[in-house]
Amino acid sequence: MCGFAGYAGEGFGAEHAPQLLSAMGQAIAHRGPDGHGIWTGPGIGLSHVRLSIVGLSDGQQPMTSADGRYTIAFNGEIFNYVELRDELKARGATFRTGSDTEVLLQLYAFDGEACLQKLNGDFAFAIWDAAERRLMLARDRMGVRPLFYTEHKGTLYFASEVKALLTVPGIEAELDPVALDQIFTLWAPITPRTAFRNIFELEPGQLLVRKNATNRLSFYWTLDFPDAGECAADTDRSEELRDLLADAVRLRMRADVPVGSYLSGGLDSSLISALAAPMAPNGLNTFSVTFDSVEHDESSFQQQVASALGTRHRSIASSPETIAATFSDIIRFTERPILRTAPAPLYTLAGLVRETGMKVVLTGEGADEVFAGYDIFREAKVRRFCARQPGSKIRPHLFRKLYPYLPGLKKQSAEYLSAFFNVSGTDPSDPIFSHRPRIKSTAAAKIFYSADLRDTLGGYDAAEELSARLPERFGHWHPLHQAQYLETRLLLPGYILSSQGDRMAMAHGIEGRFPFLDHRLVEFAARLSPDAKLKGLREKHILREAAKGLLPDSVIERQKQPYRAPDSSSFTGPGMDEQAYVSEMLSERVVTATGMFDPAAVSRLYGKCRKQPVAGFRDNAAFVGILSTQLWVGNFAKKQPVTEISAPSKSSL
């Protein structure tokens, strides 16, 4: 695990290349505290910062092939590098190192772009072919590892994080108003757009080839599902799933340093820890975050699982004070505005892992997307059921079963529940039917936009762009699979794996590994019938069956508790007055200067939150979204916000 940056083109003077590459590497040094290297050639430069996990003594980068033709800068892990090494040896390859980096380099030398089909890993990399004067950039299938790029004066610049690009003379940070609107609608920008105007993100499963100053973008892998009438029969395949997941864990335990595991207390991380524990030669270290508030805390379940598995367990408390104290750093690492404070406790947790001297942890992320574990999937199913009899007084009561942690719903009438969950407000044939309620509640926070931002956006509709970008086959899929695609293709890489995943862990030089996102497992799950994943209202049905005998029944049958953290109350509760930056960032003077929000409306919201705890989603999302946007501008922008919209990309989602 590492970070890299570089350029391809003649627009940057070769005499200044070492200085630029050093600056780019320094900007992302947190990703690779174990070493830094640079490499230059005619019209090409690569910078690399290293977190040594595999090939500790001989995996330095950038790495050049023995014949001098190929040079690579690589971020991530190729988990099946042992098997690939054996295959390459049989094809005549010889190796100078024990690293997965050299395996990837040699595989590319043999197979070119086709090498991507053989990789099982989380990665982003750049490979330069000196003979062809061709650069290839590639990103893993699920979007675990980031890769950004931009063009300036005829030169392509690329990096693991945007802050490295901002070291290039002439590249400055400007907030993209369309990306901001996408965040305030969908929680994340629609790739390739980022929060930075004219800086783009390589999409999951995508590669970029540059030759003769021309870029070619293409996908080597896309998430697909069978047609609605062709889903696999609903037979018990839980044993097959368990074997596949165990192998995904086995591959991700490969490292020349110890591997630990996050343990939230829920099914997903508990199952990963249960499979990993027997594979850890010296016992498994597990890590969790706890909260003072009952609605957020899962410590009793964490302790229960740790005891059952016999792990060495450590936890760290996340308080509103720590969230507020670290939030500016959080935005510096996420490099985008966010609507929730949930990344902050994970930033603190990664710090705990680093303090113990460990560098690698397994996590349970991805299970909810792959096996339909989120409430949004169950809610969409109930909404469709109710829509078939819109006047029913009985069907809407099913919504109470979805959210037992929302006691206020228990006393509400069928009419209220139908209205609250928008039963009659959307057409079931709408391609984004499943996500309309979330979009509606999130977009409500846009009432705080400034008049200038509204004018700039004009009639732009982020949800309609999302609909227009859906793949051709989307309409052939089962409604559950459509909802899973939306969650897996947008929110998973755009928020979960970035703002809560890679960025929070790598801020402390920690590598997170995601067994549930092994592409073999993702493809297996996509072929399952919808009932295997969401059986009635039992989410992750097949995964619960696969966990039997590995975990206590109380954990297997436990209803999912969404991971959340205190939002506006982290900044406005008792004793928070010392966080002076909050009042500064939300002051009418600074809000006016930023130009994105209505300063009077923001002032009223801030006053409301300071007087009493705010429970509503809209106000919490608005508060965090506005504060994070203000911090983003303070951290990055050197200019006033742009006043025009750049053309949206035509690539499909």
Side-chain angles (χ1 to χ4, degrees):
M1 174 52 60
C2 311
F4 68 91
Y7 66 86
E10 306 295 340
F12 192 82
E15 68 275 15
H16 301 297
Q19 181 181 355
L20 172 65
L21 293 170
S22 292
M24 295 178 88
Q26 186 59 40
I28 55 173
H30 51 277
R31 298 187 69 90
D34 297 333
H36 179 206
I38 62 173
W39 176 89
T40 62
I44 183 73
L46 297 173
S47 179
H48 187 269
V49 292
R50 187 180 186 214
L51 180 66
S52 53
I53 291 173
V54 173
L56 301 184
S57 62
D58 56 11
Q60 291 79 9
Q61 297 183 50
M63 181 181 290
T64 300
S65 59
D67 62 3
R69 175 171 178 174
Y70 302 104
T71 302
I72 185 173
F74 165 44
N75 165 33
E77 305 290 347
I78 306 302
F79 299 120
N80 62 335
Y81 77 98
V82 175
E83 292 78 8
L84 290 173
R85 180 193 298 273
D86 291 341
E87 175 193 320
L88 288 166
K89 283 182 176 179
R91 297 169 70 180
T94 58
F95 289 88
R96 299 169 294 164
T97 76
S99 69
D100 59 340
T101 304
E102 188 181 9
V103 171
L104 176 54
L105 189 61
Q106 296 244 34
L107 188 64
Y108 181 79
F110 274 90
D111 295 336
E113 294 175 20
C115 74
L116 292 161
Q117 303 298 333
K118 297 182 178 181
L119 303 179
N120 185 331
D122 302 336
F123 55 81
F125 62 80
I127 293 181
W128 173 253
D129 181 341
E132 293 288 332
R133 295 191 57 76
R134 180 177 60 207
L135 174 74
M136 185 178 86
L137 305 178
R139 190 179 180 199
D140 64 72
R141 296 170 179 86
M142 302 304 292
V144 175
R145 302 303 165 205
L147 183 50
F148 300 91
Y149 63 94
T150 190
E151 274 203 66
H152 181 63
K153 294 184 177 180
T155 295
L156 177 72
Y157 296 91
F158 49 90
S160 297
E161 295 184 15
V162 175
K163 52 182 67 70
L165 300 177
L166 299 179
T167 66
V168 178
I171 296 180
E172 296 184 349
E174 296 182 3
L175 182 58
D176 184 337
V178 171
L180 182 66
D181 190 67
Q182 290 172 352
I183 292 169
F184 269 73
T185 308
L186 308 169
W187 289 49
I190 302 174
T191 51
R193 199 183 288 272
T194 72
F196 298 81
R197 177 176 167 83
N198 294 327
I199 294 178
F200 306 100
E201 185 171 19
L202 201 65
E203 301 187 47
Q206 191 177 46
L207 60 92
L208 184 157
V209 175
R210 183 176 180 85
K211 186 176 181 179
N212 298 327
T214 300
N215 299 333
R216 172 174 59 85
L217 285 161
S218 60
F219 288 93
Y220 67 90
W221 186 90
T222 56
L223 178 61
D224 195 13
F225 296 91
D227 288 354
E230 298 178 3
C231 295
D234 189 14
T235 56
D236 184 6
R237 302 180 68 186
S238 58
E239 187 173 339
E240 185 180 354
L241 168 58
R242 179 156 60 179
D243 290 344
L244 185 54
L245 184 57
D247 194 58
V249 171
R250 178 185 66 83
L251 290 180
R252 284 157 182 78
M253 292 293 287
R254 284 178 171 170
D256 295 333
V257 296
V259 178
S261 183
Y262 282 166
L263 184 59
S264 72
L267 171 66
D268 310 333
S269 62
S270 298
L271 181 53
I272 295 300
S273 298
L275 292 168
M279 302 179 191
N282 299 310
L284 185 68
N285 291 282
T286 53
F287 304 88
S288 65
V289 63
T290 65
F291 297 91
D292 294 335
S293 54
V294 175
E295 63 177 313
H296 301 110
D297 189 58
E298 300 181 73
S299 58
S300 61
F301 292 99
Q302 295 161 2
Q303 291 294 337
Q304 180 185 354
V305 175
S307 297
L309 300 181
T311 68
R312 290 186 294 274
H313 188 66
R314 298 176 180 85
S315 63
I316 189 167
S318 178
S319 66
E321 289 79 10
T322 59
I323 291 174
T326 59
F327 199 65
S328 183
D329 287 338
I330 300 304
I331 302 307
R332 185 164 54 86
F333 287 114
T334 64
E335 297 186 330
R336 67 189 60 176
I338 55 178
L339 303 181
R340 308 305 298 262
T341 61
L346 296 173
Y347 173 83
T348 304
L349 181 60
L352 171 66
V353 175
R354 191 67 188 184
E355 286 175 7
T356 67
M358 297 193 68
K359 298 180 180 180
V360 187
V361 287
L362 307 178
T363 92
E365 295 289 7
D368 287 312
E369 292 81 3
V370 173
F371 293 102
Y374 287 129
D375 289 332
I376 199 169
F377 302 128
R378 300 194 302 159
E379 183 182 304
K381 188 172 187 178
V382 173
R383 287 172 55 233
R384 290 183 184 277
F385 180 66
C386 292
R388 290 199 288 269
Q389 288 188 13
S392 172
K393 303 293 185 182
I394 298 174
R395 294 188 177 199
H397 292 290
L398 286 171
F399 288 113
R400 294 195 184 109
K401 290 188 176 182
L402 302 184
Y403 302 103
Y405 51 86
L406 298 177
L409 292 181
K410 294 180 180 179
K411 301 176 182 179
Q412 301 299 336
S413 66
E415 291 79 6
Y416 175 90
L417 293 169
S418 293
F420 185 83
F421 289 100
N422 208 26
V423 169
S424 60
T426 52
D427 179 358
S429 65
D430 177 2
I432 57 175
F433 172 87
S434 57
H435 285 60
R436 284 291 182 185
R438 179 198 284 172
I439 290 170
K440 182 180 178 181
S441 61
T442 303
K446 294 194 283 189
I447 65 169
F448 295 95
Y449 280 1
S450 68
D452 285 347
L453 179 56
R454 293 181 191 280
D455 289 343
T456 299
L457 292 169
Y460 175 74
D461 188 324
E464 292 312 307
E465 180 176 345
L466 176 63
S467 294
R469 295 271 302 277
L470 295 173
E472 242 180 76
R473 285 187 35 76
F474 188 86
H476 297 282
W477 299 336
H478 186 278
L480 177 64
H481 292 158
Q482 292 177 341
Q484 284 186 273
Y485 181 89
L486 290 169
E487 202 72 2
T488 304
R489 189 61 181 80
L490 177 67
L491 197 70
L492 180 65
Y495 174 72
I496 300 294
L497 294 177
S498 57
S499 296
Q500 289 188 186
D502 174 89
R503 301 313 186 79
M504 296 304 98
M506 290 306 296
H508 295 281
I510 298 298
E511 176 185 296
R513 296 183 174 182
F514 306 82
F516 282 113
L517 297 180
D518 185 304
H519 73 277
R520 299 170 302 163
L521 192 143
V522 172
E523 292 166 355
F524 167 86
R527 294 190 297 269
L528 293 172
S529 72
D531 282 347
K533 291 172 275 195
L534 184 57
K535 192 173 184 65
L537 293 180
R538 189 194 196 211
E539 78 276 11
K540 292 186 288 198
H541 169 72
I542 189 173
L543 193 62
R544 294 180 191 275
E545 295 300 303
K548 288 182 176 178
L550 294 174
L551 294 170
D553 289 344
S554 58
V555 175
I556 294 173
E557 297 303 330
R558 180 189 173 202
Q559 187 160 0
K560 179 176 177 58
Q561 177 175 329
Y563 167 66
R564 297 176 298 157
D567 288 314
S568 61
S569 61
S570 294
F571 307 95
T572 61
M576 300 309 296
D577 289 341
E578 66 273 13
Q579 297 297 341
Y581 78 89
V582 177
S583 57
E584 172 70 7
M585 289 292 103
L586 300 184
S587 69
E588 292 199 17
R589 177 183 60 82
V590 177
V591 173
T592 298
T594 303
M596 290 294 173
F597 304 104
D598 179 339
V602 171
S603 182
R604 288 192 295 271
L605 174 64
Y606 188 28
K608 178 181 178 181
C609 293
R610 295 184 73 181
K611 286 179 181 177
Q612 60 184 15
V614 174
F617 174 83
R618 185 201 70 175
D619 286 348
N620 271 307
F623 186 96
V624 177
I626 293 166
L627 178 60
S628 63
T629 303
Q630 295 293 103
L631 289 169
W632 185 97
V633 172
N635 271 305
F636 296 107
K638 297 178 182 178
K639 292 183 177 180
Q640 292 297 315
V642 298
T643 56
E644 60 184 36
I645 296 179
S646 57
S649 167
K650 295 181 179 179
S651 63
S652 62
L653 184 67

